[in-house]
Amino acid sequence: MTNIAKKSILARLLSRENITVEQTNHHTAFFDVERRILGLPYWKDIGNDLYDLFVGHEIGHALHTPAEGWHESTIQIPGCPRSYVNIVEDIRIEKLVLREFPGLLGAFMRGYQDLLDRDFFGIKDEDVSKLSFMNRLNIFAKARGLVDVKFSKKEQPYVDRAMAVETWEDVMASCRELYAFMKEELEAARKAQEELEKLFKDAGVKPKETIPSKIIITKGNQKPDQAQEPMSEELKEAILNGDVEIE
């Protein structure tokens, strides 16, 4: 019996339903809450712990993420990026699945260490303290102490409330708070930028960069051999804050 066949049996046992398990070319594992499909990625040198992490995490969605609530989440919180809901819901479902199946904890810890070793989160050469708040929250929740993540006194209450979610309603409440907080922070940053621009203007100097208003970026027809311009930190932040949408 192949490894994927074994994991398919494990997934059905844990989910207590005859879900479909497929191997796909996706970047990572996923669970389709409507069609009840668990997708596992084709990766080289993937071990049992990482497979068990993927299966355990996605089974958490199978057992606890409501399909209707998931698809209406961004309608309930207009403007809130789907990534916010995904981060907080991941916190909840991992907590619940590990509470129900505590034997998975070792696989989760080793699996996330494997992902960190593969630089799955893209932080190997980054100063984690300089990442966006939502990025730090995601890494903090998933790494479980494997990465030293710091938060300011202003941020910590939002972290505590996100980590305490138990129900889908808790997730929605936390995301409303997080989105309002991030909008407030962005508005403060924009105000500071405007004041800085005024100072530059008064001094007869043109500033190099500004904080973007909300825009939509679509994928261009870039040639494979064409050098890609690095994404600026301001653009990364705007995307994570929901002020830039990628199509």
Side-chain angles (χ1 to χ4, degrees):
M1 183 181 292
T2 64
N3 204 11
I4 188 64
K6 293 177 183 177
K7 298 310 173 185
S8 297
I9 295 172
L10 173 64
R12 294 187 182 100
L13 287 172
L14 294 178
S15 66
R16 305 185 189 92
E17 65 173 287
N18 190 29
I19 62 173
T20 300
V21 180
E22 300 176 347
Q23 271 196 304
T24 72
N25 290 322
H26 282 74
H27 174 59
T28 185
F30 69 89
F31 185 75
D32 186 323
V33 294
E34 284 193 338
R35 297 189 297 159
R36 315 305 290 174
I37 296 174
L38 191 161
L40 295 172
Y42 284 109
W43 281 13
K44 292 182 179 179
D45 305 321
I46 183 170
N48 276 326
D49 287 326
L50 194 48
Y51 262 134
D52 287 346
L53 165 61
F54 284 151
V55 170
H57 177 96
E58 302 308 334
I59 287 306
H61 285 300
L63 292 170
H64 302 292
T65 299
E68 184 176 350
W70 173 252
H71 288 294
E72 294 183 354
S73 58
T74 53
I75 299 174
Q76 294 178 26
I77 314 174
C80 180
R82 175 77 70 180
S83 60
Y84 286 28
V85 182
N86 191 53
I87 288 170
V88 181
E89 176 64 349
D90 279 357
I91 292 172
R92 183 177 81 98
I93 61 99
E94 286 200 352
K95 178 192 302 182
L96 296 178
V97 80
L98 288 174
R99 186 181 296 165
E100 190 167 3
F101 306 108
L104 286 173
L105 180 59
F108 268 56
M109 294 296 294
R110 293 186 294 271
Y112 274 123
Q113 183 61 66
D114 189 347
L115 290 178
L116 290 167
D117 292 342
R118 295 168 184 258
D119 198 25
F120 179 78
F121 298 104
I123 61 174
K124 184 177 181 180
D125 299 319
E126 296 283 343
D127 182 349
V128 175
S129 66
K130 294 182 179 179
L131 297 178
S132 73
F133 170 61
M134 291 305 296
N135 205 350
R136 280 181 285 126
L137 175 60
N138 185 44
I139 293 168
F140 172 75
K142 288 184 167 65
R144 303 173 186 276
L146 297 173
V147 179
D148 185 23
V149 184
K150 303 292 185 183
F151 298 98
S152 68
K153 289 183 179 180
K154 191 175 183 180
E155 294 169 337
Q156 193 62 51
Y158 297 94
V159 175
D160 294 340
R161 284 192 284 273
M163 296 301 295
V165 294
E166 292 282 344
T167 66
W168 177 252
E169 290 71 26
D170 292 342
V171 172
M172 289 291 94
S174 175
C175 288
R176 286 189 186 93
E177 290 184 346
L178 287 167
Y179 183 48
F181 172 61
M182 297 306 292
K183 284 179 66 178
E184 180 183 320
E185 291 292 287
L186 183 60
E187 185 58 36
R190 282 180 176 156
K191 185 177 180 180
Q193 182 70 50
E194 289 172 0
E195 293 175 353
L196 184 61
E197 287 176 354
K198 186 177 184 303
L199 290 174
F200 276 117
K201 185 177 180 180
D202 292 343
V205 179
K206 184 179 179 181
K208 292 183 178 180
E209 296 179 347
T210 60
I211 296 175
S213 58
K214 186 164 185 175
I215 58 175
I216 295 178
I217 296 178
T218 56
K219 184 178 179 181
N221 297 320
Q222 188 174 23
K223 296 179 180 179
D225 59 347
Q226 183 178 353
Q228 186 173 7
E229 183 179 349
M231 185 183 295
S232 70
E233 291 302 317
E234 288 76 12
L235 182 54
K236 288 180 183 179
E237 189 76 20
I239 291 171
L240 290 167
N241 287 340
D243 294 286
V244 172
E245 296 175 3
I246 304 295
E247 286 188 349

